[in-house]
Amino acid sequence: MSEAVAVAVAERFEELYGDRPEGVWAAPGRVNLIGEHTDYNDGFVMPFALPHVTVAAVSRREDGVLRLHSADIEGGVMELRVDDLAPESDRNWTAYPAGVVWALREAGHPVTGADVHLTSTVPSGAGLSSSAALEVVVALALNDLFELGLKGWQLARLCQRAENVYVGAPTGIMDQTASACCEAGHALFLDTRDLSQKQIPFDLAAEGMRLLVVDTQVKHAHSDGEYGKRRAGCEKGADLLGVNALRDVPYAELDAALERLGDEEEVRRLVRHVVTEDERVERVVSLLESGDTRAIGPVLIEGHASLRDDFRISCPELDLVVDTALMAGALGARMTGGGFGGSAIVLAEAADVDTITKAVQEAFAAANFTAPRVFEAVPAAGARRLS
């Protein structure tokens, strides 16, 4: 993130609010390498931060007023009162930063208002956690300005609460933790039950490989009903199996667990995905730590098949990316994110990137799909103060 961007955001803040901001902060979007829909099942995930960030210029207020402005959304400054913030009272983009203020105050932190100006390069609706980046950057700024002393994982918890309760989207903890805690050049092996973390070196360029993100341009919304149905189905499966969460179903005992679920076919599929996905995360960690990076390709392919066939959250555009990339020589590919649209990731030899990109673009054109956006994902730094 260049100093010029921080300066430009601060200058726009001054135009809006009449004074320089007290600081400028950034928080990244993320790509999840493996571990999809395991986070709200107390399972394992492995995201890494993207160079794409949401940037916030922020100053404190002491009069109970929260003023919000986004450079990326039409409209002027939105003004709210912190005492009036209430869950699911706001269906606009402002629910995300307002929800963070609400969550901080509900937890007893003395946030008395703020002026906020935001801009972002994280693609919205692409499965790259634009909402988490927005939440985390506001939380980090307020943590610093009000000297709350909260650590990254604590900010992530509060941001998740903001999205779950204030916004009304039943997301897990992965996205906010990735944005708050990832390190450049690493993927984050995260246990979502206790939030224990391990930074796993992930430097594909040094090994002659690349990871592409293919944004299908098919928009999704986590607060829509299908995501919630999957989560409710997983909770039903855990209840029927007598465990606290599907994380507690051992991979070695999966067949027996599925047998116990009887004719609950939909629940069986959800349980099978979550239990096998947790095992895939552990397998990828082992492969990366042993230096066998190329061998993660088949694991990504397995993950996509599970999301497509068991969790049933893929779509024709995502399947086309995966199938086309593999036919063009990719080492592995899968959809990433919440599903029903968004992005896929493609692991490829560096020499094959252009061929794969062209093949995907031509396949989309032939299918009369909107042209996809393709870019390289390089593990970047987590949330931080810029100035």
Side-chain angles (χ1 to χ4, degrees):
M1 174 59 59
S2 69
E3 181 178 344
V5 172
V7 170
V9 172
E11 289 176 347
R12 180 59 176 142
F13 180 99
E14 186 173 11
E15 293 174 7
L16 290 164
Y17 299 120
D19 202 356
R20 300 288 290 180
E22 292 185 79
V24 179
W25 291 260
R30 66 95 188 97
V31 159
N32 192 22
L33 182 62
I34 193 73
E36 222 64 80
H37 289 269
T38 50
D39 58 346
Y40 54 79
N41 289 290
D42 282 2
F44 305 124
V45 294
M46 199 172 187
F48 63 86
L50 289 168
H52 305 70
V53 293
T54 296
V55 180
V58 185
S59 287
R60 288 168 291 182
R61 297 180 66 97
E62 298 181 356
D63 57 0
V65 172
L66 175 63
R67 295 196 293 183
L68 302 167
H69 182 267
S70 171
D72 310 306
I73 299 171
E74 289 187 11
V77 174
M78 305 290 287
E79 185 170 312
L80 306 167
R81 293 203 60 82
V82 297
D83 288 340
D84 296 336
L85 300 179
E88 299 194 51
S89 61
D90 186 350
R91 293 299 179 186
N92 299 308
W93 70 269
T94 50
Y96 294 94
V100 170
V101 174
W102 169 83
L104 286 167
R105 286 170 55 85
E106 191 203 37
H109 301 293
V111 177
T112 55
D115 288 338
V116 182
H117 168 60
L118 297 149
T119 187
S120 183
T121 59
V122 184
S124 176
L128 303 176
S129 298
S130 58
S131 61
L134 172 54
E135 293 157 358
V136 169
V137 75
V138 171
L140 180 61
L142 297 175
N143 183 55
D144 287 355
L145 291 175
F146 288 95
E147 299 180 344
L148 304 181
L150 298 171
K151 299 183 183 300
W153 67 268
Q154 294 172 306
L155 293 176
R157 280 285 193 213
L158 287 165
C159 289
Q160 182 200 17
R161 179 159 177 75
E163 188 152 352
N164 288 173
V165 180
Y166 195 92
V167 178
T171 56
I173 190 65
M174 173 181 66
D175 296 350
Q176 293 86 357
T177 306
S179 187
C181 300
C182 279
E183 295 181 3
H186 294 75
L188 178 68
F189 177 36
L190 173 67
D191 182 335
T192 65
R193 170 163 282 170
D194 60 12
L195 295 191
S196 59
Q197 305 174 17
K198 187 175 185 180
Q199 302 286 346
I200 308 294
F202 190 57
D203 184 359
L204 292 177
E207 300 185 60
M209 287 177 286
R210 300 289 186 272
L211 190 76
L212 302 178
V213 175
V214 182
D215 177 3
T216 65
Q217 307 284 346
V218 178
K219 301 300 182 184
H220 69 178
H222 275 173
S223 53
D224 286 354
E226 290 301 317
Y227 187 100
K229 289 178 184 177
R230 301 305 188 280
R231 182 164 185 165
C234 291
E235 291 169 353
K236 181 179 179 180
D239 185 57
L240 290 172
L241 293 169
V243 294
N244 290 326
L246 294 183
R247 147 75 172 277
D248 298 313
V249 179
Y251 178 72
E253 298 174 18
L254 175 59
D255 289 344
L258 296 177
E259 188 75 20
R260 288 167 55 198
L261 291 171
D263 60 359
E264 292 277 358
E265 183 55 35
E266 183 174 352
V267 175
R268 285 165 54 92
R269 288 190 286 99
L270 299 178
V271 170
R272 182 165 52 229
H273 166 72
V274 172
V275 176
T276 58
E277 187 79 346
D278 273 334
E279 188 274 338
R280 280 186 284 272
V281 177
E282 293 185 291
R283 216 184 326 157
V284 166
V285 171
S286 178
L287 290 168
L288 291 178
E289 289 186 326
S290 67
D292 196 5
T293 305
R294 284 172 174 79
I296 73 172
V299 189
L300 303 184
I301 299 169
E302 288 177 29
H304 183 76
S306 183
L307 290 163
R308 181 192 64 212
D309 301 335
D310 276 343
F311 229 67
R312 299 188 182 183
I313 58 170
S314 190
C315 66
E317 290 86 352
L318 288 168
D319 292 341
L320 185 60
V321 173
V322 172
D323 294 343
T324 303
L326 294 175
M327 287 189 293
L331 298 168
R334 74 172 191 89
M335 60 155 286
T336 187
F340 312 106
S343 298
I345 56 174
V346 178
L347 180 68
E349 302 287 357
D352 295 334
V353 164
D354 290 345
T355 299
I356 292 169
T357 300
K358 182 179 179 182
V360 170
Q361 291 169 337
E362 289 178 348
F364 268 57
N368 291 318
F369 292 155
T370 300
R373 179 180 180 223
V374 184
F375 60 91
E376 182 182 347
V378 178
R384 65 270 189 197
R385 187 168 186 163
L386 300 179
S387 66

